[in-house]
Amino acid sequence: MIILLLSVIIFNYLAYKTNERLTKNHIVHIWVFTIAFQLVFDIFVDLKYHGYWYITKGIDWLAFPAYTVLIPPVNIMFLNWFPFKKGLFKIARYIFIWEIFLLFYEWLANSPSPWGYFRYGWWNLGISAIVNPILLLILVSYYKWILKIEKE
């Protein structure tokens, strides 16, 4: 739980202090998209299939920050620094570096209480290593779609 609270503070601070690319409109879009997408994903993996959970199994008010203010600033930082106009190699390297960070963070979040807040059922780091890049590419695709809509 300590890692969750510290992460919320640090990630939000960094997202807003380092943002140079995203407008307020982009931030709102990414924030809402992230919460909606995460909740839909977690409804199945967490609540239906018990793959993982935050704090305790089931719905828990203590996990509310994990659903609402933890992942959006991370996605904002990811998109802010994303090498959109670079080659495929640089994009792949960028996603790989983020993958290492995300896997390390997940491992850390799985620490024993009171530090950690993330718990595994059948889910594991190997599954995350496969799923994370897909989720990041979905995020990039959504952001590109928002940019396209703004130009219309």
Side-chain angles (χ1 to χ4, degrees), residues 31 41 54 56 58 70 74 103 107 127 134 144 147:
W31 203 285
F41 192 86
Y54 305 101
T56 60
L70 176 67
V74 174
L103 292 174
W107 173 80
I127 297 170
I134 296 167
K144 286 182 175 182
L147 293 176

Side-chain angles (χ1 to χ4, degrees), residues 76 78 96:
I76 289 166
F78 175 80
F96 178 76

Side-chain angles (χ1 to χ4, degrees), residues 89-119:
F89 177 76
K90 289 196 179 196
I91 291 172
R93 184 178 67 184
Y94 181 77
I95 291 172
F96 178 76
I97 290 166
W98 270 89
E99 177 71 3
I100 298 301
F101 166 74
L102 294 171
L103 292 174
F104 174 74
Y105 182 81
E106 184 176 317
W107 173 80
L108 195 63
N110 198 26
S111 300
S113 189
W115 292 97
Y117 64 94
F118 187 70
R119 302 290 171 252

Side-chain angles (χ1 to χ4, degrees), residues 25-147:
N25 185 43
H26 297 158
I27 291 170
V28 169
H29 272 88
I30 296 306
W31 203 285
V32 173
F33 171 78
T34 300
I35 291 172
F37 194 78
Q38 179 183 2
L39 286 175
V40 169
F41 192 86
D42 284 353
I43 282 171
F44 289 95
V45 178
D46 176 354
L47 299 175
K48 182 170 175 70
Y49 297 114
H50 309 292
Y52 58 75
W53 54 90
Y54 305 101
I55 318 288
T56 60
K57 286 184 180 180
I59 298 171
D60 187 348
W61 280 106
L62 289 174
F64 190 74
Y67 290 112
T68 57
V69 293
L70 176 67
I71 306 300
V74 174
N75 285 348
I76 289 166
M77 288 185 288
F78 175 80
L79 289 172
N80 182 54
W81 302 320
F82 193 87
F84 286 101
K85 296 184 174 149
K86 305 294 182 185
L88 186 60
F89 177 76
K90 289 196 179 196
I91 291 172
R93 184 178 67 184
Y94 181 77
I95 291 172
F96 178 76
I97 290 166
W98 270 89
E99 177 71 3
I100 298 301
F101 166 74
L102 294 171
L103 292 174
F104 174 74
Y105 182 81
E106 184 176 317
W107 173 80
L108 195 63
N110 198 26
S111 300
S113 189
W115 292 97
Y117 64 94
F118 187 70
R119 302 290 171 252
Y120 288 133
W122 51 264
W123 195 271
N124 59 52
L125 281 175
I127 297 170
S128 290
I130 295 167
V131 172
N132 287 346
I134 296 167
L135 297 176
L136 292 172
L137 291 173
I138 290 170
L139 174 66
V140 170
S141 297
Y142 178 79
Y143 179 68
K144 286 182 175 182
W145 181 56
I146 293 303
L147 293 176

